[in-house]
Amino acid sequence: MLAVYETGASCYKSISDFVDAFYVGALGRAYNSLSDPAWKTTLTQAQAQGQGQLIAAAQNLGTSLFTSPEYLSLNPDVPANRGQFVTDLYAAYLGRVPDGYGYDAWLAALNNGSSRDDVRHGFAYSAEFQNDVG
């Protein structure tokens, strides 16, 4: 079953490929079905319930990974790591490298008091992410 359309491409990603890519984007490692939560099953079940449920499950995946002790140990919430955090969000949520303007805007938001959760929500609720997942 197909779940995620790749922006600017002519093919779809499977849920398995989507979860794998999200893990690499966020944590820099592959998904491990033996030790990680059952995200592939969760997204497959959500997909069967409709687009809204699939988007919500994908958003929950992002919340789980970017607030996990593993991510926070790789990229603690300190000013010096803000740029990498933005880059990681682009990689995980959008499957691409940041564009100059967007990167600068998200980094400025963090530097001007927006929380990591606020910025992460910007990616999770963006039209680009929701269209890709839908």
Side-chain angles (χ1 to χ4, degrees), residues 62-73:
T63 299
S64 178
L65 294 184
F66 280 99
T67 61
S68 70
E70 181 178 356
Y71 184 78
L72 295 175
S73 72

